[in-house]
Amino acid sequence: MPLIRIDDQEIEAPQGETILRVALKHGIAIPYYCYHPALSIVGQCRMCLVEVKGAPKPLTACSTTIGTLPPGKKIEGKYDMVVSTKSETARKAQRGVLEFLLLNHPLDCPICDQAGECQLQEYSYTFGDPASRLEFEKVHAPKRVDIGPHVVFDVERCIKCTRCIRFCQEISKTGELTLSERGVYTRVDIFPGRELDNPYSVCTVDICPVGALTSREFRFKERVWFLKSVNSVCQECSRGCSVRVDAYKGEVLRLVPRDNPQVNGPWMCDYGRLVTERMKGLDLAGRPLLRSGAVWQGYEWKEFGAALVEKMAGFPALKSDSWAVVLSGRLSLEEMAGAQAVSQAFFERSAGSVPDVAWGEDDELLIRKERRPNLMGARLMGIPVGEQNAPLSGLLTGKKAALILREDPVGDAQGAEKAAVETALASMDLVIVADSAFTDTARLAHVFIPLAGWHEMEGVTVNFLGVAQKTARAVVPPRDRRPFYEVASLWLTAAGHEAPEPTFPGWHAKVKESVPGLAGTSIKDLLPNGLQVLDAPAKDKVKKGEGA
Amino acid sequence: MNAYWPIVVPALVKIVVILGIVLTGVAYTTLAERKVSAWMQDRRGPNRVGPFGLLQPVADGMKFFFKEDITPREAYRPLYLLAPFLTLFPALITFAVIPFGTQISVGGQTYPLIIAPGMDVGVIFLLAVSSIGVYGILLAGWSSGNKYSLMGGLRSASQVISYELGIALAVMSVVLWTGSFDFRRIVEDQAGWGHFWFVGPQFLAFIVFTVAVFAETNRLPFDLPEGESELVAGYHTEYSGLRFAMFFMGEYANMITASAFVVLLFLGGWNLPFVNYAWFGPLWGGLLSAVVFFAKVAVLLFVFIWVRWTLPRFRYDQLMSLGWKRLFPLALLNLVLISTLLVLRGHP
Amino acid sequence: MKVTRPELSWWERTYFPAILKGMKLTFSHIFRKRVTLQYPEERWTLPPGYRGQPVLLTGLDGHEKCTSCKLCQFICPPEAIRIVAGETELAKEKFPAEFDIDMGLCIFCGYCQEVCPVEAIWLKDAYELADYDRTNLIFDKEKLLALGRKPPYLPGREKPLEEGR
């Protein structure tokens, strides 16, 4: 392998690798904008210019590959390439490029959403000049251009790195964007009659190194330095993309994909991100409710266990097969374990089945048609998964009681199926519904248990590839809503049964007993990118990146 | 007509009058404290309530009365509630043995100007009772369940122990000189031709006594038990409303007691040089003597305030070293000197 | 650092001379002229640049100058500022849909004025803000704009900061 030297570091690098990749791998900081590990290399921004010994002028580190010199011609007798990232020439080149990039930049950082996570800001501090030498009016360009339903484009701020264009060509394969005009008027443009409306369009906002592309949903919501972030898992399909949840003052403001080569690469679909918008319409339930007649009676959690046990005692005849237990693929493994324990203790039966809700089609990149994140987890826990989109009325009809967790069979169904579910539930003696919102199904229930949303609790889900990942608490539930495993502990102890601690670690220990892939692992093993718990995972088509 | 009435009625009248004077004195000492401190700092002081702010103590009292009385959760309630009384009441009881004038004769009856005229060990009674006050402070500090309060209480206890030695020895030299524990005898010994106020012959004792009395009343420069910069407010950190007012009144009542003590022992009591109260007749002479006595007390109170707004607070080790290494030996030395003098003079 | 302490004589070490000197000084002050200002009858002449309550300024276009960048909210030590940003049709794109300053929390430090990139917030010379109800101390955008200066500014002066200085 060629031996090269970057600054003072001697590195053996594979032939044909680029200087930038080698440098990044060895912790040498070279500034760059247009390079992205999951996209093709174009050498567009010129920010990564470095001095290479023997070359007549600085070369772009992202597109210069490493080769071998014949034995007699080695530099200083042993190196195949000597690179300097901090020499006078390199510094001057970086400073010059940055001056050009900032020449017509509007410097409207105070209103720019990217401020605080902007590469232009960061490199200006590190490499740039403090003042501009431009004596003339800056070239102005349109601001606030709507190029798609979720993306707003500010032409002035753009540095023409073409990451977004390459994303649309290579990753989403929709090709909406291109460069138009020439010279200082060069701009990223959208083809006439097109819109940036592919299912991954907001990824262009993520990879935009400056504030040219901003997300319509997050636009002006909050300055990024106020955000509190946790690493979590998207729960909108069985892919389970690794995400970072950014929240401020109890509100989830955006989801940003985390680079996870096993699952999603650096990408994420728009549907998953828009969960922040869908959360807004939910009728959040505050505290546990028991219904008698038409009157809902609210309870404090500490009284609720006893109240629930008392309510159950009113129906001693309801055992085993008179119960319909509908779990959901939205439950975490720990909540499923809680549901199993509750079923065994109170209904004298195993936990019921998990419906497989699906719509749309699997696409080439990330989106899966199974819309429940933890179906594989249910299978691993030994809970049967129903046929895809099988009507739930079949499960409920003829039963005397039902426990429905995180599913809304009434609200999700239409027409005859909806009527059938409603009749089935109305004729039951006891319906217990637990969900994070007060759904249409909850209106027909006798007992309603408010559950924490996935962004408000810890839990482990297993995606269709068999990767177990952990969600985290991004916000404290605005009202006291709890994960079902805590409710299960409460319920079991109130009736005198043994139960694990009402915490995530307590129930996770119980999960580890029944999921073989998790045996002998600790919670830390699930961080940050998850743990493969399936022996023979399915084949996947994601283009893997190595860190953006 | 019961035989006790001629004794009980004058005693009750004297109690009411004395308590009235003392409590009013306490109230206006607080005002004086604020006014004098303001003047010394080129300020005006309270001047909004009544003419020249003279009704300020009334306003303060109303405020204390209507403030919420808070008991901390960590406090030991019985002692916490008891402590303020333990501080205030001994301070007031001491006035039972303090003579505040000669006597007045009305309608053929002679009434000595003291609540408990028969008490011939008034000095010991006063020393004993005034020491009870420190229990209030100590208990307040302990029962508040607060570390600052506890520190304040402990400091108060050790401070009082250290300085009471000095006080007792200084008093003892005066007692040796006069041969009596009776305040009236002590005062009479400072009157007339050939006699001096004891501040002259007993100057060393006077100095020791005055300094120790400052420490005894927790006044600056010895207010370590309160030490705001270290202990928030010391032993009364947790107190509010009327209970705090009791500590506050107790402190000022103690100041008045201490001033009266100094006046009686060293400054000639109600005596003035070249003045014989018999000249003014039985009624007016007695009243005049009382006025002179309270005027002297007022001057000493001014000195208390004056010192407070002049000197900074001592460090705790300095306080202890002053008490044990300076005042205590000085007082002993003084006692030896006085005793020697008395033996040489051939005192009975 | 080495401190050289003066040698004290025996008499000086009793501290009596120093104490008496101090008491003489404090006593002499009793008769000095009083410096107290009889507020509210007498009032202080405020120096230029006095930092009183923060207010919002109106720009030449008649709209608030604030672009809702939230730097003042970020820098504010007692977190007295609350801003909700919104989008506007104006050229500045972003504007404060809501802008509250809790005058009960404000410590009049002036950091907000210093950090503001568009000179939209400014500490005026008002300091009497007492109220019987804390909720009245939360000044909303309309109130803050009404308290701040509005155009026309003095000729040749676009910035209200210098006006009247």
Side-chain angles (χ1 to χ4, degrees), chain A residues 341 344-346 489 491-499:
Chain A
Q344 242 140 38
F346 296 103
S489 286
W491 193 352
L492 290 165
T493 40
H497 294 286
E498 279 211 2

Side-chain angles (χ1 to χ4, degrees), chain C residues 8-165:
Chain C
L8 298 181
S9 68
W10 177 87
W11 173 235
E12 281 171 332
R13 266 190 293 150
T14 61
Y15 294 128
F16 278 113
I19 289 173
L20 292 175
K21 205 172 146 193
M23 289 178 73
K24 190 180 143 204
L25 181 78
T26 46
F27 194 81
S28 74
H29 270 264
I30 291 180
F31 309 104
R32 293 250 182 113
K33 187 176 175 295
R34 310 273 172 247
V35 296
T36 312
L37 199 70
Q38 296 276 26
Y39 180 88
E41 292 89 28
E42 300 170 22
R43 279 171 199 254
W44 184 39
T45 319
L46 297 178
Y50 177 81
R51 300 195 308 248
Q53 74 179 130
V55 294
L56 288 178
L57 302 177
T58 308
L60 290 172
D61 60 354
H63 296 276
E64 75 282 316
K65 295 172 91 181
C66 176
T67 58
S68 187
C69 72
K70 304 196 186 181
L71 287 177
C72 51
Q73 182 186 346
F74 181 66
I75 202 88
C76 183
E79 301 186 10
I81 303 179
R82 187 187 70 94
I83 304 172
V84 175
E87 185 152 7
T88 163
E89 292 305 312
L90 300 170
K92 67 181 184 181
E93 291 188 46
K94 196 176 175 184
F95 85 115
E98 294 173 36
F99 193 115
D100 296 347
I101 300 180
D102 189 337
M103 293 297 173
L105 291 176
C106 179
I107 57 170
F108 312 112
C109 63
Y111 281 7
C112 50
Q113 175 182 332
E114 200 159 317
V115 81
C116 184
V118 290
E119 295 179 325
I121 193 167
W122 176 62
L123 270 65
K124 69 184 268 177
D125 55 1
Y127 52 86
E128 287 163 321
L129 300 164
D131 203 292
Y132 285 103
D133 188 348
R134 283 177 198 207
T135 52
N136 290 347
L137 290 174
I138 301 173
F139 285 22
D140 62 8
K141 189 173 84 167
E142 281 65 40
K143 199 164 178 184
L144 292 168
L145 280 170
L147 288 165
R149 294 189 193 185
K150 286 164 263 319
Y153 301 126
L154 290 179
R157 295 284 179 88
E158 280 199 3
K159 296 175 188 171
L161 278 180
E162 283 82 7
E163 187 189 348
R165 294 268 170 95

Side-chain angles (χ1 to χ4, degrees), chain A residues 447-486:
Chain A
V447 179
F448 176 73
I449 306 170
L451 296 184
W454 64 268
H455 56 291
E456 296 161 349
M457 57 173 272
E458 292 181 294
V460 174
T461 56
V462 184
N463 78 349
F464 79 106
L465 293 164
V467 179
Q469 297 185 84
K470 184 179 154 298
T471 59
R473 185 179 246 211
V475 296
V476 177
R479 297 177 225 173
D480 195 5
R481 304 182 290 150
R482 299 189 176 183
F484 188 73
Y485 49 79
E486 284 186 27

Side-chain angles (χ1 to χ4, degrees), chain A residues 110-111 113 143-144 154 157 219-223 225-226 248-249, chain C residues 67 69-71 73-74 85-90 92-94 117:
Chain A
I111 62 155
D113 279 334
K143 297 174 84 78
R144 271 197 281 192
D154 188 310
R157 294 179 195 153
R219 189 170 159 87
F220 300 160
K221 274 282 166 56
E222 203 46 76
R223 307 313 304 270
W225 48 78
F226 288 121
Y248 181 60
K249 287 197 175 162
Chain C
T67 58
C69 72
K70 304 196 186 181
L71 287 177
Q73 182 186 346
F74 181 66
E87 185 152 7
T88 163
E89 292 305 312
L90 300 170
K92 67 181 184 181
E93 291 188 46
K94 196 176 175 184

